[in-house]
Structure formats: C-alpha cells, structure tokens
Amino acid sequence: MNDFSAYELEPSVLFVGENVHFVSFASDSSVFTASTLEPQNYLKIYNLISSAGSVDNESSKAIGKTLTLSPRSSNEYKISGEPTKLTTETTSQLGFCSTSQGDVFFVNKLLEETSEARGVMTHIWKNVHANMASSNTFDQKFTSLVSFGDNNTIALMQTDDYSKVQRVKNPSGSVPFCCRFSSANCILTGDLLGHNVLFDLREQSTPLKFAPPQSANKTRHFSKNMVSGVTCLDVKPDQPDVVACGMENGEVYMWDLRNVSSPVSYFEGHERSLWDIKFHPSNCALLYTASENGELWQWGSSQSKSTTDFLSRSQLNMSSASTNQNARNGPSNHDVWNSSTNEICVDSLLPENNVFGVLSLSVMNSNLVCAVRNQSVFVFSGISF
C-alpha cells in the first residue's frame, strides 16, 4: 500500500471532446464511459496508459506511476437516447447502460475482444418499460438486472436468458432517481422527494419507504418547505445493511437498513448537489463524493487504512469532527462517522479552481477516475487505501 494521501497526487486529465456523464472501471486497465447531450451518444471503452504510453496492469499499482486515459477509445457502441446510468462488473469486465428511451445495453468486454464483430453490443434489451418510457435508473448483481421506469413500472432481466423481461407495477408510489442492490434479492432506491425505498424482489408486498426526519432535512440551500432529493447512493461492500446517500443539497446520510427509524449519521459538506457517492471497494473506511460545484472529496478517518466498522451505533456521538488541514471547506459533522477515532478527515482531490460539476466517479484499487462537466476525465493513480 502507498504512504501518501489522495490530496498529494496530481491527476492527469484528458479532454475527450464529448459530454461524458458516466465513468466506471471495467478492469484495472480500462474504463467505460457514457456520453450525453450529443447528436449521437456512445458507450466507449478507454484503456489506461502509463506516462510512458503503454498499458501495464502491474505498474498501475506502483507508487508514483502516473496514469491517464488513452487519447482514443479502444471500442465504442452507439446508444439510443440519453444514458441514465452506467454500471460495471469488474471481475468479468461487463458493462451495462440504461437510457431515456427505455433500452438497456450490455457489453461483455472480454467477449468483444475475441470477436470479429467489434463495436457490436453483446445484447440490447429494447423498450423494457413499454411505450418508450425512460429507464430512470437500474442496477445489476450477479445475473440479475432491475430497471425502474418513469411510467411506474419495474423491469427485471437476466444475463443468462436474454429472452425474459418481466415487467411489474411499482407499488411504492416513488419514481426512483438512483438505486443499488443491497443483496441478491433486495434493491434500494432514492427519489427526488427525499425518499428511500427498499424492495424485496421475492415479494409483492408494499416495499419499505423511509426518509430523514423533516427537521434534519431543512438545509441552507432550500427554502423551509422544500425537501432535498436523494441523487446518489452506495451500499457498503462489507456491510450491505449500511448505505450512504448523497443529497440534492450536498448532505450525506448514513442509514442502517436494519433500523430505518432515523439515519445512523449525517454530514453537511458540499454546497451543491451530490451526483455520485462511492465506498472504496477494498477499504470501506474510505468514501468518495462528487458534487455540482466542482468538488471531489475523499472522506475517511485519520486511520483510514484500517478496516474498522465506522458505523457502530453504540459508539457514535454528537461531537464535531475535525478535518484535515488540506481539506477545502470541510464538513460540519452532526454525527461521528468513524467510531474508532471520533475524527473525520476530508481531502479535496481536484484543484480549487475547478468550477465545473463532477458528474460521476469510479474507484478501483489505487486508481480513481471522474467525469467533469467540461468534457474532461480526470485520473488519479497511486491513491492510498
């Protein structure tokens, strides 16, 4: 593991010449992107290359090695409408993308590399919500895909049987904006009315709906009668009952799905909407957030290399946490995130003069990529975890 923090790293930047909205690692050495607001939008694959210009999976983990995206994509796929979400499964190098026209695209990168039909999708599920309804958000786990439409329907698909698309009514009354599987059978959504809804796909009963207390949801960015929406969420990899939710007002809420009477904790930090939130897949004591005001933050304790459970209810208290001296506009904490130290450090990764919104991020091992609203993709290599 490396011995320096993310804020000490100089990212590389590639101006891709299109409005990349989503980025996600396909593997240690490649990244999927999805563009939006273009005459023709694309799902693309870029290789990560070293400063010397060659792809090297092992050297990508070396201390001080600078990585960037290759100037040109290695493969690209036309997609219909606007992408609404991109997700990947890095073990098998799978990419999935949903669109505003209700299509869900599937690329098996390893299969495509051995195929003569380059640039051809592995599979496309067309119009999964019927009547050209948008797929607002979706997620994938194992062989299952679940999509939530803007017409109050849920579509269920399988990667091992393309012919089956099961369409059911969404019984929650919520129109999801974001979602994540918390287990093989349960999926959590967030909507722009501030609600989270937990669906059990094995049951037809009314799903569990919850939201922050009204008093906690009054913010400096919204009038007294407005509610902040849930714009992004992530499930803690080593504790699938623990969820981090990024809000439209820049706050972060932590929930324990075993008891949703109130959030485990919440933090004020960013001044604008959060567009993405991710736990580090290899060290869940680290959390990353991307916001509309151009901020990309790494959250963690002063001992963030440990794998301690930072959401233990019994040890949380209401003291204010100090921040790292390198953090820019650090958070005002209403609860302690990491129970082992009672201190949260926030490192600001992007330059202070960046004013363009950070739309999405992806982190894998010591590398992080993010898409910025000025048609650029930043790559950080050598992040300590």
Side-chain angles (χ1 to χ4, degrees), residues 76-357:
E76 61 184 40
Y77 311 86
K78 293 181 179 180
I79 57 178
S80 56
E82 301 295 329
T84 54
K85 186 176 178 180
L86 168 67
T87 188
T88 56
E89 200 282 304
T90 56
T91 303
S92 301
Q93 299 188 35
L94 309 179
F96 303 88
C97 182
S98 58
T99 75
S100 59
Q101 291 190 6
D103 299 337
V104 178
F105 294 85
F106 170 37
V107 173
N108 184 327
K109 181 176 179 291
L110 293 178
L111 182 63
E112 292 297 298
E113 288 175 349
T114 61
S115 171
E116 296 180 358
R118 301 298 297 275
V120 178
M121 289 284 180
T122 304
H123 186 69
I124 306 173
W125 289 274
K126 289 279 193 179
N127 194 22
V128 298
H129 295 283
N131 303 317
M132 300 302 291
S134 172
S135 170
N136 281 0
T137 185
F138 83 105
D139 201 24
Q140 170 266 340
K141 192 173 184 69
F142 305 129
T143 61
S144 298
L145 286 87
V146 177
S147 173
F148 293 87
D150 65 0
N151 63 347
N152 206 35
T153 63
I154 303 173
L156 299 93
M157 296 148 281
Q158 297 288 328
T159 58
D160 56 358
D161 187 351
Y162 298 149
S163 64
K164 292 183 179 179
V165 177
Q166 181 184 1
R167 191 180 301 119
V168 297
K169 184 178 180 180
N170 181 348
S172 70
S174 168
V175 180
F177 186 81
C178 53
C179 70
R180 288 285 288 175
F181 272 100
S182 61
S183 68
N185 297 304
C186 295
I187 189 166
L188 180 71
T189 67
D191 67 24
L192 294 182
L193 296 178
H195 298 120
N196 291 107
V197 182
L198 182 62
F199 294 84
D200 188 331
L201 301 177
R202 299 164 297 186
E203 300 178 357
Q204 297 295 321
S205 58
T206 302
L208 176 66
K209 182 184 288 190
F210 57 94
Q214 196 69 4
S215 58
N217 216 1
K218 293 178 181 178
T219 70
R220 56 207 182 279
H221 316 301
F222 287 71
S223 68
K224 193 161 69 173
N225 296 322
M226 291 183 69
V227 175
S228 176
V230 183
T231 50
C232 51
L233 59 87
D234 197 25
V235 174
K236 191 166 180 275
D238 65 344
Q239 287 179 282
D241 290 316
V242 174
V243 179
C245 292
M247 308 298 286
E248 198 174 4
N249 60 15
E251 294 177 344
V252 174
Y253 283 82
M254 296 285 178
W255 292 94
D256 185 334
L257 298 180
R258 295 165 295 186
N259 181 0
V260 295
S261 57
S262 64
V264 173
S265 56
Y266 78 99
F267 308 90
E268 292 179 359
H270 297 281
E271 294 292 327
R272 299 284 297 278
S273 297
L274 289 181
W275 292 131
D276 209 353
I277 189 166
K278 292 286 194 317
F279 287 101
H280 194 294
S282 302
N283 180 3
C284 303
L286 294 175
L287 184 73
Y288 297 87
T289 53
S291 77
E292 178 59 32
N293 62 341
E295 293 171 334
L296 177 67
W297 284 0
Q298 175 183 276
W299 305 60
S301 75
S302 58
Q303 298 177 356
S304 58
K305 291 175 185 169
S306 68
T307 57
T308 182
D309 172 10
F310 53 76
L311 288 177
S312 173
R313 280 181 184 273
S314 60
Q315 298 184 50
L316 291 173
N317 62 61
M318 300 299 290
S319 63
S320 176
S322 61
T323 59
N324 187 287
Q325 61 181 356
N326 294 281
R328 174 163 58 102
N329 298 326
S332 169
N333 298 309
H334 296 268
D335 212 339
V336 175
W337 181 16
N338 193 313
S339 61
S340 66
T341 62
N342 290 345
E343 180 177 297
I344 298 299
C345 297
V346 177
D347 295 332
S348 181
L349 275 62
L350 287 175
E352 291 189 11
N353 61 358
N354 177 53
V355 296
F356 299 99

